[in-house]
Amino acid sequence: MAEDDRGTGPLCLVTGATGYIGGRLVPELLAAGLRVRCLARSPERLRDHPWAGDVEVVRGDVTDAESVARAMRGVGIGYYLVHALGTGGDFEETDRRAARIFGEQARAAGLHRLVYLGGLTPRGVPERELSPHLRSRAEVGRILLDSGVPTAVLRAAVVIGSGSASFEMLRHLTERLPVMVTPSWVRTRIQPVAVRDVLRALVGCAGLPKDVNRTFDIGGPDVLTYQEMMIRYAAVAELPKRLILPVPMLSPGLSSHWVGLVTPVPASIARPLTESLRYEVVCHEHDIARYVPDPPGRPFGFDEAVRLALRRVREAQVTTRWSSASLPGAPSDPLPTDPDWAGGSLYTDCRERSVDAPREALWRVVEGIGGDNGWYSFPLAWAVRGWLDRLIGGVGLRRGRRDAARLRVGDSLDFWRVEEIEPGHLLRLRAEMRLPGPAWLEMYAETDGTGRTRYRQRALFHPRGLLGHAYWWSVSPFHAVVFGGMARNIARAAEADADARRPVREGATTGDG
């Protein structure tokens, strides 16, 4: 789309557009008449979003001053929606460095407004006693406020919305455990906020007066303990009453592993969430309403926010999820080219099958793989692999799918991520389970020289070190069962799908004589 067609408002730079909040903020900014440029390390991951043609996307990283400077040319408002959570023990330093670069480049480029979404911190608690997650969020906010560019720092506690990490944690804990032995932090008071109200505040900050340089607490009207949130979630979801038994010995660290086993949220993400619940996180002002007035009936209460989120989940209308962002520590090597790859050993497992069905039927099965549909082979083996991955801190199989029928580049898919998709032809997945080397799985729907439909499948693994080679050879005896069965069952599923959609022959009897 030409720039003249994109709107007439100020140009906004959005970082974190591949993440949960950023992916939802972009269309809201566009709807408000603002122009949008997205800074992304992997621009191709934004390609399939419905709003992709309405924005400008530039490649870059917030830790690279040169790419940030390029992205800020002509920009009036910068949205900082990234953090290095879970990238290792030095994530605070990474957050600090990225925030300084963003602030310095914003001042040099003449931006007139920065907007940052941080975490609500407890009043009266020394910053050194906060969890590393909250401490880093607070420090990033200070750095941006001191950048010389007027900054609005929005501070939220638990964000309730379909696909948010906090909501998924709450939902799965409550739905899966009718009787819960819970950590003591379930008694901590929290002020949750609906994601719709977070987005409304973020968009509204684009119009703040130039002299506003401060933090704003944002929250819903309800202050609840986590235990009360689970009880009220169960009531909204029409579940039987839950029995909750808090015990003091479950520390945030231990409880994060418990959350990781019960919910789709891995321990690496659950830990900062649970650590943040040790202290009361309640808003102490609602000054944002002076600049961004609350519409009638807003902000949403907890029950209504849950009801809206559940409706989105049940109608498969979840636009972004907590897993939309790249998994910290996930490999980022490019897919090795065939056959002249010079990067070392590359193991492959290739399977092909003829399919007695139209190519469209085969593609429906391929694009629908994973989540509730499973992986079409040896379910126990996939389940065991998922559990092993969870036990060593990986994501496991329970992330599921964003949409039951459609995929787009960047979607998480159980312990894979969609790296490439050519509708009707190719689905390439990149492994995000814990492995001694990067791995990919490719699935093709093709037509051969005789006009018959053909399914082609290729698994690739690039071993790192001796452990990587040992891993491949230890699991290769199972490939015939896992990958061979997968190819066979995908072909059968496509044939069954085609049969089910085939119209009844004219003149066929209907059983009435």
Side-chain angles (χ1 to χ4, degrees):
M1 178 176 289
E3 186 168 332
D4 291 344
D5 298 331
R6 288 182 180 147
T8 58
L11 179 59
C12 303
L13 177 66
V14 176
T15 63
T18 59
Y20 178 72
I21 293 292
R24 297 187 179 212
L25 176 63
V26 169
E28 297 293 328
L29 292 172
L30 292 171
L34 300 170
R35 294 176 295 134
V36 177
R37 177 184 295 159
C38 299
L39 176 68
R41 286 177 296 175
S42 303
E44 59 276 5
R45 290 187 50 199
L46 298 175
R47 185 190 71 195
D48 297 331
H49 284 260
W51 40 261
D54 300 324
V55 304
E56 180 186 354
V57 181
V58 296
R59 186 182 301 273
D61 191 295
V62 289
T63 59
D64 175 24
E66 186 176 340
S67 67
V68 172
R70 285 197 306 269
M72 285 185 171
R73 290 171 187 163
V75 169
I77 304 161
Y79 282 90
Y80 193 75
L81 302 173
V82 296
H83 56 87
L85 173 65
T87 56
D90 62 346
F91 81 89
E92 289 182 86
E93 173 55 31
T94 303
D95 272 341
R96 186 179 304 121
R97 179 162 52 91
R100 284 174 178 160
I101 288 172
F102 198 80
E104 290 167 0
Q105 297 303 321
R107 184 175 65 252
L111 270 70
H112 62 258
R113 166 67 54 200
L114 295 180
V115 184
Y116 170 60
L117 178 62
L120 191 59
T121 54
R123 176 171 289 185
V125 178
E127 194 168 291
R128 64 180 180 276
E129 296 182 12
L130 297 176
S131 70
H133 165 61
L134 277 181
R135 189 168 61 234
S136 182
R137 290 293 185 92
E139 183 182 19
V140 167
R142 281 201 313 276
I143 290 171
L144 296 177
L145 286 167
D146 294 340
S147 67
V149 178
T151 298
V153 175
L154 303 184
R155 308 193 310 166
V158 171
V159 177
I160 302 296
S162 60
S164 78
S166 296
F167 178 72
E168 289 298 293
M169 191 171 100
L170 173 68
R171 178 165 78 98
H172 284 85
L173 284 176
T174 309
E175 291 185 354
R176 290 179 173 172
L177 299 176
V179 179
M180 287 176 271
V181 177
T182 56
S184 57
W185 50 255
V186 299
R187 294 173 175 161
T188 302
R189 291 187 348 134
I190 307 160
Q191 191 162 352
V193 59
V195 67
R196 297 190 187 195
D197 288 318
V198 174
L199 296 172
R200 179 173 56 82
L202 286 168
V203 173
C205 283
L208 289 175
K210 292 182 179 180
D211 61 344
V212 174
N213 186 65
R214 55 163 292 182
T215 64
F216 292 97
D217 292 354
I218 55 173
D222 300 307
V223 177
L224 308 164
T225 66
Y226 204 89
Q227 178 172 331
E228 290 170 332
M229 287 169 60
M230 288 191 286
I231 291 171
R232 286 174 64 164
Y233 176 94
V236 173
E238 298 180 346
L239 300 171
K241 188 173 181 180
R242 270 34 191 165
L243 179 60
I244 301 171
L245 305 171
V247 292
M249 68 280 299
L250 275 177
S251 67
L254 287 174
S255 60
S256 68
H257 291 287
W258 166 68
V259 170
L261 288 173
V262 175
T263 80
V265 182
S268 60
I269 302 297
R271 179 157 190 158
L273 294 177
T274 55
E275 284 180 337
S276 301
L277 297 173
R278 287 186 298 171
Y279 300 105
E280 179 176 284
V281 277
V282 175
C283 298
H284 294 282
E285 44 87 3
H286 188 51
D287 294 350
I288 189 66
R290 291 164 47 193
Y291 304 98
V292 187
D294 294 328
R298 305 283 288 274
F300 286 113
F302 175 79
D303 291 358
E304 183 61 18
V306 168
R307 193 171 291 112
L308 290 168
L310 281 175
R311 184 190 307 159
R312 288 277 190 176
V313 171
R314 290 166 179 168
E315 294 176 355
Q317 295 294 320
V318 181
T319 54
T320 63
R321 302 175 69 212
W322 63 271
S323 54
S324 299
S326 296
L327 181 72
S332 57
D333 309 38
L335 177 72
T337 56
D338 243 356
D340 56 349
W341 184 55
S345 300
L346 180 67
Y347 293 117
T348 63
D349 181 280
C350 300
R351 312 275 169 172
E352 291 190 30
R353 291 191 71 87
S354 293
V355 183
D356 187 17
R359 185 168 154 181
E360 305 80 57
L362 175 57
W363 179 251
R364 281 193 294 269
V365 175
V366 169
E367 191 175 11
I369 201 165
D372 292 339
N373 292 328
W375 292 88
Y376 293 97
S377 73
F378 205 176
L380 180 60
W382 286 91
V384 168
R385 185 63 184 86
W387 276 104
L388 289 175
D389 195 54
R390 301 286 287 196
L391 289 173
I392 60 175
V395 296
L397 274 177
R398 287 203 301 270
R399 290 193 301 184
R401 299 173 51 108
R402 177 190 57 84
D403 185 290
R406 298 286 179 264
L407 293 173
R408 65 190 184 202
V409 171
D411 272 0
S412 59
L413 180 58
D414 293 329
F415 48 36
W416 305 88
R417 188 173 296 278
V418 179
E419 185 172 87
E420 183 56 87
I421 185 168
E422 297 175 14
H425 175 57
L426 164 68
L427 175 62
R428 180 184 300 138
L429 305 176
R430 182 188 193 88
E432 288 193 340
M433 72 280 279
R434 297 296 181 92
L435 290 171
W440 297 262
L441 178 62
E442 293 182 329
M443 290 165 275
Y444 294 84
E446 299 177 331
T447 304
D448 64 18
T450 66
R452 293 199 64 188
T453 301
R454 193 157 192 84
Y455 172 67
R456 187 159 59 91
Q457 175 181 297
R458 186 169 73 144
L460 305 97
F461 178 65
H462 171 34
R464 285 188 175 147
L466 182 60
L467 181 60
H469 291 278
Y471 170 81
W472 176 266
W473 289 111
S474 67
V475 299
S476 59
F478 303 101
H479 287 174
V481 175
V482 175
F483 290 132
M486 183 178 179
R488 182 173 58 252
N489 292 329
I490 284 176
R492 289 175 178 171
E495 291 166 352
D497 177 81
D499 288 341
R501 293 170 183 263
R502 196 165 286 137
V504 178
R505 290 181 294 111
E506 289 186 22
T509 59
T510 60
D512 58 1

